[in-house]
């Protein structure tokens, strides 16, 4: 614990140096996020973000090392009856952002419900090994979509959904937006959508799989305190044959949830989202 706390202190210091540097893109990103979400103070929003990030890292480390009983007990689902009702009707696709406590939430959720988690490991072998320890301790079946064959992923996801299971995926990874005249790029599984007022390219598979399996898409986010980890669900999206429309619907709902708890959104400082939030109009 003392070693971890010292390491977290260094993490926090690095964050604040990046924020305070003249011309900081970190500060510009949070100024935009603050404006978009209606936060009263940019600096206070960033302060809460850093504290939440460090708390989330500590909880991920607990999961990685197998200290999961306390994590399991922290989970709160304010609308758990609605979640149970949706599962009684069949499978569902739960889409969450990169929030500070998303992985820890996944551990608590798997302790209550059978689920399939879709994860994406890094290409760095050392980090991938550490990530694998986390995924193995989630207590559920998981698929690494970075290394698995796409056909196998599609088959297992569709089977899980068709069997009435919950499939959980982190879905806020973005790329350069496809052109307006070609909003769907099947070869890259990208769909053009608008988020935070900017065009982005986001994964099309949630809309395709949900439509094929006839299950709802439920965007959600994760909010933590010192003693709890809460899963907040948004409105369910009924998929249609129109992939662009379906994708925009769940992106809108996920954005609404992120704006409700902007300090919890780890990916605010992702290089792609930072550019989008700052209104660059271009994502490399």
């Amino acid at each position: 614990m003392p070693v971890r706390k010292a390491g977290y202190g260094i993490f926090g210091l690095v964050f604040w140096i990046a924020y305070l540097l003249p011309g900081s893109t970190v500060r510009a990103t949070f100024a935009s996020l603050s404006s978009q979400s209606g936060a009263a103070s940019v600096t206070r929003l960033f302060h809460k973000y850093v504290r939440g990030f460090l708390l989330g890292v500590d909880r991920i480390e607990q999961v990685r090392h197998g200290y999961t009983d306390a994590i399991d007990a922290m989970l709160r689902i304010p609308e758990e009856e609605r979640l149970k009702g949706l599962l009684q009707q069949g499978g569902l696709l739960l889409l969450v952002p990169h929030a500070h406590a998303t992985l820890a939430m996944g551990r608590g959720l798997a302790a209550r419900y059978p689920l399939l988690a879709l994860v994406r490991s890094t290409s760095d072998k050392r980090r991938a090994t550490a990530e694998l320890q986390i995924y193995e301790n989630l207590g559920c079946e998981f698929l690494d979509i970075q290394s698995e064959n796409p056909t196998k992923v599609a088959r297992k996801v569709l089977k899980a959904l068709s069997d009435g299971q919950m499939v959980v995926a982190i879905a806020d990874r973005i790329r350069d937006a496809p052109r307006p005249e070609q909003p769907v790029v099947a070869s890259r599984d990208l769909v053009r959508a608008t988020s935070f007022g900017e065009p982005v390219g986001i994964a099309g598979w949630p809309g395709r799989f949900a439509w094929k399996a006839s299950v709802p898409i439920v965007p959600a986010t994760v909010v933590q305190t010192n003693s709890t980890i809460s899963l907040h669900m948004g409105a369910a999206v009924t998929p249609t044959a129109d992939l662009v429309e379906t994708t925009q619907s769940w992106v809108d709902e996920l954005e609404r949830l992120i704006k409700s708890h902007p300090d919890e959104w780890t990916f605010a400082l992702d290089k792609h989202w930072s550019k989008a939030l700052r209104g660059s109009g271009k994502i490399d």
Side-chain angles (χ1 to χ4, degrees), residues 91 93 161 204-218 236-243 245-247 249-250:
L93 183 55
L161 293 173
W205 70 262
R208 288 189 290 104
F209 289 0
W211 168 247
K212 191 166 185 178
S214 299
V215 300
I217 299 170
V218 181
V237 173
T238 301
T240 71
D242 187 331
L243 182 57
E245 178 184 65
T246 297
T247 301
S249 294
W250 70 256

Side-chain angles (χ1 to χ4, degrees), residues 91-129:
L92 68 85
L93 183 55
L94 188 75
L95 300 183
V96 292
H98 285 81
H100 305 318
T102 293
L103 284 173
M105 180 282 300
R107 166 65 207 191
L109 193 63
R112 297 190 189 184
Y113 299 95
L115 61 87
L116 172 64
L118 302 186
V119 302
R120 180 188 292 271
S121 64
T122 181
S123 56
D124 182 280
K125 291 184 178 180
R126 183 177 177 182
R127 285 178 55 199
T129 299

Side-chain angles (χ1 to χ4, degrees), residues 18 26 50 74 86 119 123 134 164 169 188-189 247 272 274:
V26 172
V50 174
M74 288 181 187
L86 288 167
V119 302
S123 56
I134 298 169
R188 299 178 61 202
D189 190 34
T247 301
H272 303 309
S274 176

Side-chain angles (χ1 to χ4, degrees), residues 160-175:
L161 293 173
S162 299
D163 288 346
Q165 200 171 347
M166 187 188 326
V167 175
V168 182
I170 298 176
D172 60 340
R173 189 178 299 274
I174 60 171
R175 292 291 182 265

Side-chain angles (χ1 to χ4, degrees), residues 104-235:
M105 180 282 300
R107 166 65 207 191
L109 193 63
R112 297 190 189 184
Y113 299 95
L115 61 87
L116 172 64
L118 302 186
V119 302
R120 180 188 292 271
S121 64
T122 181
S123 56
D124 182 280
K125 291 184 178 180
R126 183 177 177 182
R127 285 178 55 199
T129 299
E131 289 173 352
L132 182 60
Q133 291 178 306
I134 298 169
Y135 303 147
E136 288 175 340
N137 285 333
L138 288 179
C140 64
E141 184 180 8
F142 68 90
L143 272 178
D144 183 354
I145 61 176
Q146 178 73 15
S147 60
E148 290 285 3
N149 180 282
T151 302
K152 178 182 177 182
V153 171
R155 185 171 62 249
K156 295 203 73 169
V157 170
L158 289 172
K159 184 179 187 307
L161 293 173
S162 299
D163 288 346
Q165 200 171 347
M166 187 188 326
V167 175
V168 182
I170 298 176
D172 60 340
R173 189 178 299 274
I174 60 171
R175 292 291 182 265
D176 195 22
R179 299 187 304 273
E181 63 272 18
Q182 188 185 0
V184 178
V185 181
S187 61
R188 299 178 61 202
D189 190 34
L190 281 182
V191 177
R192 182 184 177 91
T194 300
S195 189
F196 292 96
E198 291 293 317
V200 299
I202 202 155
W205 70 262
R208 288 189 290 104
F209 289 0
W211 168 247
K212 191 166 185 178
S214 299
V215 300
I217 299 170
V218 181
T221 194
V222 185
V223 179
Q224 62 178 344
T225 67
N226 287 335
S227 59
T228 65
I229 298 170
S230 297
L231 176 67
H232 291 263
M233 300 189 302

Side-chain angles (χ1 to χ4, degrees), residues 11 27 54 64 84 101 104 121 129 141 154 171 189 216 255 263 273 278:
F11 265 132
R27 189 164 62 252
L54 298 180
R64 185 164 77 91
K84 290 178 179 177
S121 64
T129 299
E141 184 180 8
D189 190 34
E255 179 186 319
D263 55 298
W273 275 116
R278 288 181 283 119

